[in-house]
Amino acid sequence: MKKLMLLLAAALVALPVAAKDQFHLYNWNNYIAPETIKRFEDSCKCEVVQTYYSDNEELLAKLAAGAKGYDLLVPTSNAVQALIKGAQLKPIDKSQLPNLKNINPDDLNTPFDPGNKYSVPYAMSTTIIGYNDVKIKELGLPTDTWAVVFDPKYLEKIKGRITVLDSANELFAAALKYLGYSANDVDPKHWDQAAALIKKAKPYWAAFNASSYIKELTVGNIWLVHGYSNDIFQANLDAQAAKRPFNILQGMPKEGAVLAVDNMVIHKDAPRPDLALKFMNFMLDGRNSAELTNLIGSGNPNLDAVKYIKPEILKNPAIFPDKTVEAKLEQLKDLTSAQRRLLNRLWTEIKAGR
Amino acid sequence: MNRTARSKLGRWLVSGPPVLYLLVFFAAPALIMVLASFRTPGDFGGLAPLVEDGRLDLNLESYTRFFTESVYAQIFVKSVWYALLTTLFCLLLAYPLAALIAGSAKKHRDLLLLLVILPFWSNFLIRVYAWMIILGPNAALARTVNGVLGWFGHDPVPLLFSSFAVLVCLVYVHLPFMVLPLYANLEKHDRALLDAAQDLGAGAWQRFWRITFPLSLPGVYAGAALVFIPALGIFAIPDILGGPEDSMIGNVIKQQFLETRDWPFGSVLSIVLTVAALVLAGTAAWVGRSSLGTPSSTKAVRA
Amino acid sequence: MRRRPIGLWTAALGGYAFLYVPLLIVVVYSFNDSRLNAEWVGFTFDWYDKLFHNQDMLVAAGNSLLIGLTASAVATVLGTMAGLAMYRYQARLLSILVLAPIAIPEILMGVSLLIFFVLLNLTLGLISVALAHIAFCIGFVAIVVRSRLAGMDESLTEAARDCGASPFNAFRYITLPLIMPGVIAGALMAFTLSIDDFVITFFTAGAGTVTLPLQIYSMIKIAVTPEVNAVSTLLMLLTLALIIVASKLSPSLLGADEEKT
């Protein structure tokens, strides 16, 4: 017994053996194609060590507490804002990124990172409506408006068969858009209106869910969701693979929606910033960038990638929206501490049934 | 004299290592967060600097918030209720299991015990997903229940995304933590007592209620503590299969650290939760002390 | 021959059924020909095949086992000592130190341990995770051991000491066999908690350290595929096999020595 314990202790200590050059990528799961990783490993003669998070906030909390060891991160824009404000990022040496010219100029030089000092766009998704086409057609419900999520006259028909995201930011953004305001509106009176709207619709919703709603949609237990475009795209692929008698389609609300742009950034304490820059440049190449879009149906800011993307994905208006829709998409801005507190109180009251 | 000196040394040797370990790897980190409860949240997340312009930035803001915005206390009370229900149902389900295992022949006992814990070496998430399959609207269970309700003219009731689903899952996930302590206690009960009672004419229920149950109380309290306290702080189960109003205090605390990035307030809520749990556990232990089995009655057990 | 009431049998069998129906679904769905864990589509061995080629998942499973065995072993030793001390010496400070990690929300523990480790400049990795796990597992072992000791007759131990036995031998030959079922119960709980922990592990793991729960939870937003069912099934069988082998090699492990006392 004692020997066993000594052996275990030795194993634990010996394990963190650094072999060849290691590049630590901290990313969402399934947010890069395995082939892409392999190709990068061949080109840089290094080993890519991937760790995952499933929520921007997890990343932020971990970094705020002082975690180190990661080279490249892939946060969404509002998280990039928070990271810049918190001095967590290393500025990018753009001379090392010849492929940066491939990016659509509209997607560069954003308000949260002027001049792209710290970040480079990676992939995009929108928060929209996903639905079971057979059931929704049967019930005669619209799919191009947030009303189907908030208006009791439509909700009656899908009571208990609709879920919304368990995220105060996302749900309030949708409510604000439906009420005609900007998704980034921070007027407390407008927030109260949004909260009232949500409370009225809540009795019809099956759940606030950000984790297991997609599979329920795919098997037909849930008929309509407020969810992420990538997930809904994937759900349709799964539904087809399982030969279900319906399709899962994406609905872009005419009032507008939240656009999430995920960016590549380098952590201030990155052990290998050189490899991080190599990886960035690699991913800015059209072919590599397109692999992700073809895999999960994510939006793509890379103009050079267009020729590598599957035509059916290019034609999908929810993934590659036209100019009129694009005008109504908004990226979420990070809130101040006081605003976050207010939002949390409203959110908790909604959840507590007050 | 000798005995006391030996006993003092013995006391340090036995309690020393765990105390030391917990002081370093629990108390020290915990104190960091207790201090955090008096600080201000950082604007982008984390905590604001402790020393601002040469002044110590400590305040009671977060504590005041907890006591003024009553919605947090409301969710807290609901969580206590869920945790109590979970503990009760765990006890009801676990007792027969533990009794069966404790009363079995030696060669079967170990296997039966392992069979209880085996399911819990699979991953938590897929066990919860399995429950989503069982409770799904098109699965056998929901169809049967709603079919029966239909006979009485009642609207169909969702089993999934409801308090029912949350409770069933809470009980499921915590069951082994009630079975194991109960088993550890029941295993040492002297059969002779029960046989003697039976010979004197006591029925099965009487034997249980007047002999077995009182003697098993330490195990019951241990199991109850190991179910109630963790259940109070859980968040994953409501997140995955809860309905719109099944949020527990664990969810609210998680939101403070993640979505809202308000670590001081999250710390305050956590401190309230911990203190409440410790106080409840302490009270239960104090109340149960009288029935823990004094030496005189123990001698009867071991006779 | 004890006549156990039929009510007890039915209730106990009901308990086992409650425990095993979801588990059966887990195992059966590991053969499900669908990426999602939601509805049965068809039979396939694909996921087991994928699993054996999935380096990441296998390494994660290995790490989980390693941390689980280590953490539960250390926690069992420290927890037994704590349980003994709590019972014998009514140690108040220890009782609080032992119970509090169970009560404190994991996310708070995770964040504060991370801050603490960073302050100490401790490299995050498997060890930092194991250290964290031990901290919250001690309490479970301690509480069970203490409840097992409750009402225990100290006169036996005292008699042994009066006869000249050293404290250690008195513990080893008298107390330990008597509390062994409690120790085993505590160890089993500690192991279970460790291999399934997500929140604390997330915060205390280093860059590149992956345990099975970390790997699996990161899939939560896309799809928790049957590969996870497969790895869980195998992990269960593996651990079961390990324990059976260990108990055959050392019969006293599971308290089979009871008869001797």
Side-chain angles (χ1 to χ4, degrees), chain B residues 3 6 14 21 29 33 112 115 121 123-124 126-127 134 172 177 180 184 187-188 198 229 274 298, chain C residues 3 16 18-20 25 81 94 103-104 112 116 131 134 148 150-151 161-162 189 192 196 217 232 236:
Chain B
R3 173 82 49 90
R6 262 195 304 181
V14 172
Y21 190 91
M33 288 319 267
L112 285 174
L115 281 179
W121 293 335
N123 181 263
F124 172 87
I126 40 163
R127 271 179 281 137
I134 298 174
Y172 185 74
F177 301 101
L180 287 169
E187 194 264 353
K188 70 178 179 187
Q198 190 165 28
I229 298 179
T274 310
T298 341
Chain C
R3 299 161 293 281
Y16 273 113
F18 180 68
L19 284 172
Y20 273 86
I25 294 191
M81 294 169 87
L94 187 56
I104 281 203
S112 54
F116 183 66
L131 290 173
I134 294 171
R148 172 84 183 176
R161 298 293 304 280
D162 287 343
M189 286 195 285
T192 312
D196 222 6
Y217 276 75
S232 285
M236 279 192 288

